[in-house]
Amino acid sequence: MTLSFHKNERDYQDKYEPCVLMGATKAATGVPDTLVTYHGIGGCRMTMEHLRMDNVPDGLFVPIISTAPDQSSVIYGGADKLERGLEQTLSDAKRRKINLKLIWLFTSCATSIVGDDILSAARKIEERENIKVIPIDTPGFLGGDKTGHELVYTALVENYAKYDAKKNSNSINILGPQLIGSKYWPWDYQEIVRLMEGADIHANVTFCYKSTLDNYNSFGAAVSNYNLSGESFDEFADLSSRYNVEMWGDDLVYPIGIANTEEWYLKIAERFGNIEKAKKLMKEDMNRVMKRIKGDYNSSWFLSDISGKHIGILGNAKYAASLARCLYYDFNCYPVVVGLWGETPASIENAKRILSEMDAYCDIDVYENPTFFEYGNAIKKAEVDFAIGTRYDMRLVRGIGIPHISLGQNYFLNNFSFIPWPTFGIKGVLGLMTELARLIEENIKYEEDGWIANSFIAPLGHKESGSEVVKKCHRG
């Protein structure tokens, strides 16, 4: 058994990859009582609005307003439109009676290249209107999703954190819930907080989801920043060290499924909380799950049908690695192809460490930042039974003839999920089973003599027809 690693040597990146502006917007719109004004064209707005919607289902809505520069603004400069846009932003906020405490001011690619002075515009509005404005240069070419988040995290600490916050040994800040890589991240993040609080671990400040601007005053009260994403935040780490706050948890597995949750929970409880309370809560959650599925034929049929399947997984590096472990340990599936997406080398290396212990059990081809084309060829060659990924690779995978389900990535034309239930934690196993059962349900065929189970299409390269495959598993 071995893990085989494949690096992407191509000169192009064919993958879903939000830019700095999109990442900054995702983070900033997670801060209540603020508003985003971006000095950029309307074409960016659609993506920003969609990605921002991940923050909305739990009741957080932060507006996004464009200054709407046009061709002449790019040629001659758009300072006038920038100032008018900020004035219009304030006018709209007053008219709607928004409790506005901060305006984020971002740039797009074109306006950043032109060099319109966002700092000067911000200071003019601050002096005239007595409202805080934080200008950040966020052109798409500066980097990716993670970089946009880090710029916002850094700005929040620089503008609001206080050095005299009293330390709490059980307190940690949480970084990057929007960067988890699960399409259920709001509920998965909330499950993480529930478990932490159940073990006497205090979630101090969350960058950036629902923590108010005043909450960031106590940033320095935490002993660590729990980095959910696994990406490197070098600039933010340097800033945090001035407050004696260390970075922690980069390569800690996500609590997806039972085995991962036990490892995650005991490690974080031992470091920051009460390990006995963690064990007690895990037992309670396990009893709750058992009560739901014990004696349920649907659950036993599903677990039997999915057992032994060979699967492909594509997603954010830490999420894909954690999900691969969950499917092997808890569902007896074999993740034979795993595609890891990450913005920084650290995210890939952290994911590889999470996968490393599976070297003793599975032969896995691990692809580092694969293109869609590379991933598609890999799962076709491996003859996987089904694939787990995102909406963005769904058409490709199904076009190859492989069943597919989307569990990853952010909102953009992706997350039609309306029930607030997690896929993280032991309790989240029920949510994960519900999603995975769709693979069984959608690939069951109806025969005249009854339902046929386990009717995945014949694996690629096999001569048996689909009907012959399913008849072997006929339950009568």
Side-chain angles (χ1 to χ4, degrees):
M1 301 297 178
T2 185
L3 302 184
S4 301
F5 297 101
H6 307 267
K7 289 189 176 182
N8 182 3
E9 304 295 343
R10 303 178 188 277
D11 293 329
Y12 68 91
Q13 292 291 346
D14 170 29
K15 65 177 185 177
Y16 171 79
E17 191 173 22
C19 71
V20 168
L21 174 58
M22 308 307 163
T25 302
K26 282 165 56 183
T29 55
V31 183
D33 301 327
T34 69
L35 185 151
V36 172
T37 294
Y38 80 100
H39 189 36
I41 60 175
C44 302
R45 184 183 179 95
M46 182 185 72
T47 307
M48 294 166 68
E49 292 279 6
H50 274 284
L51 292 174
R52 182 274 308 277
M53 291 303 290
D54 258 349
N55 297 319
V56 172
D58 200 30
L60 180 59
F61 182 85
V62 171
I64 301 172
I65 297 176
S66 169
T67 60
D70 53 21
Q71 291 91 333
S72 63
S73 304
V74 175
I75 297 171
Y76 301 108
D80 55 338
K81 284 208 168 188
L82 173 57
E83 292 189 22
R84 287 203 304 270
L86 283 169
E87 291 170 354
Q88 186 63 45
T89 293
L90 279 169
S91 176
D92 288 348
K94 292 176 181 177
R95 179 172 55 83
R96 298 178 184 182
K97 298 181 179 179
I98 296 175
N99 184 28
L100 186 61
K101 297 179 180 178
L102 167 67
I103 297 175
W104 300 98
L105 177 57
F106 299 149
T107 60
S108 63
C109 296
T111 55
S112 179
I113 292 172
V114 171
D116 289 334
D117 190 351
I118 58 173
L119 178 60
S120 176
R123 296 298 168 258
K124 286 180 181 179
I125 292 295
E126 281 187 331
E127 293 172 4
R128 188 163 67 239
E129 301 290 344
N130 194 30
I131 182 75
K132 181 77 172 176
V133 182
I134 296 181
I136 305 178
D137 190 24
T138 54
F141 52 78
L142 190 63
D145 199 8
K146 186 280 306 185
T147 301
H149 280 76
E150 185 170 17
L151 290 171
V152 170
Y153 299 171
T154 301
L156 285 165
V157 172
E158 289 178 339
N159 284 275
Y160 292 98
K162 297 184 181 301
Y163 283 102
D164 59 355
K166 185 178 179 180
K167 284 289 181 183
N168 178 351
S169 62
N170 299 108
S171 181
I172 60 177
N173 302 316
I174 300 177
L175 265 61
Q178 293 98 333
L179 296 171
I180 287 175
S182 161
K183 73 176 185 179
Y184 298 101
W185 73 260
W187 323 121
D188 292 337
Y189 155 74
Q190 289 180 25
E191 180 64 5
I192 284 175
V193 172
R194 183 185 76 89
L195 292 171
M196 286 171 48
E197 292 176 344
D200 291 343
I201 304 168
H202 174 57
N204 184 44
V205 178
T206 298
F207 291 81
C208 293
Y209 191 59
K210 288 197 166 184
S211 290
T212 66
L213 293 172
D214 289 340
N215 291 150
Y216 291 95
N217 296 161
S218 64
F219 167 77
V223 294
S224 297
N225 294 322
Y226 173 26
N227 179 12
L228 282 174
S229 74
E231 299 277 4
S232 62
F233 292 88
D234 294 339
E235 182 179 343
F236 187 77
D238 288 342
L239 178 61
S240 298
S241 66
R242 302 177 203 169
Y243 295 82
N244 294 318
V245 180
E246 65 174 1
M247 300 294 286
W248 183 86
D250 296 33
D251 60 353
L252 185 63
V253 68
Y254 285 143
I256 310 176
I258 297 170
N260 286 341
T261 297
E262 182 179 17
E263 177 180 324
W264 172 86
Y265 207 9
L266 295 182
K267 282 185 177 180
I268 198 169
E270 183 179 25
R271 174 69 175 80
F272 300 105
N274 186 315
I275 199 166
E276 294 305 318
K277 285 189 175 182
K279 292 178 180 178
K280 181 175 182 291
L281 185 53
M282 279 195 292
K283 181 68 173 178
E284 292 172 356
D285 287 352
M286 182 65 76
N287 289 337
R288 182 178 185 182
V289 172
M290 289 176 62
K291 183 178 180 180
R292 170 59 190 86
I293 66 176
K294 185 178 180 181
D296 186 333
Y297 281 129
N298 286 329
S299 64
S300 60
W301 282 341
F302 158 70
L303 292 170
S304 175
D305 290 344
I306 204 170
S307 176
K309 295 296 180 288
H310 288 201
I311 58 177
I313 300 174
L314 178 65
N316 285 17
K318 195 172 178 181
Y319 179 74
S322 300
L323 186 60
R325 286 189 15 165
C326 166
L327 289 165
Y328 177 76
Y329 291 137
D330 295 345
F331 294 95
N332 193 38
C333 293
Y334 293 87
V336 294
V337 176
V338 178
L340 306 175
W341 279 346
E343 184 175 334
T344 60
S347 65
I348 303 296
E349 294 306 312
N350 287 325
K352 287 161 69 173
R353 280 192 285 271
I354 289 171
L355 285 172
S356 62
E357 69 179 53
M358 297 184 69
D359 185 68
Y361 312 113
C362 298
D363 289 318
I364 307 177
D365 282 307
V366 181
Y367 288 82
E368 302 177 25
N369 277 315
T371 63
F372 285 121
F373 181 76
E374 186 178 16
Y375 174 72
N377 280 336
I379 59 174
K380 183 177 180 179
K381 179 182 178 181
E383 299 179 359
V384 301
D385 294 300
F386 67 89
I388 299 175
T390 71
R391 177 175 174 142
Y392 318 117
D393 60 285
M394 177 179 69
R395 299 300 178 191
L396 168 68
V397 173
R398 290 184 177 175
I400 295 171
I402 298 172
H404 176 281
I405 188 168
S406 301
L407 292 181
Q409 286 299 350
N410 297 102
Y411 183 94
F412 192 73
L413 300 178
N414 182 34
N415 296 0
F416 301 99
S417 308
F418 305 107
I419 299 174
W421 192 268
T423 55
F424 277 22
I426 293 173
K427 187 175 74 170
V429 169
L430 297 177
L432 196 58
M433 286 177 64
T434 300
E435 283 286 359
L436 292 173
R438 289 169 52 195
L439 283 166
I440 308 298
E441 182 181 38
E442 292 176 1
N443 291 279
I444 281 179
K445 302 179 187 302
Y446 183 76
E447 304 289 345
E448 291 183 0
D449 56 350
W451 288 96
I452 305 296
N454 204 11
S455 58
F456 289 97
I457 61 172
L460 293 169
H462 288 233
K463 295 181 179 179
E464 296 172 296
S465 67
S467 60
E468 288 173 333
V469 172
V470 299
K471 285 178 181 177
K472 289 183 179 180
C473 301
H474 185 221
R475 283 199 287 264

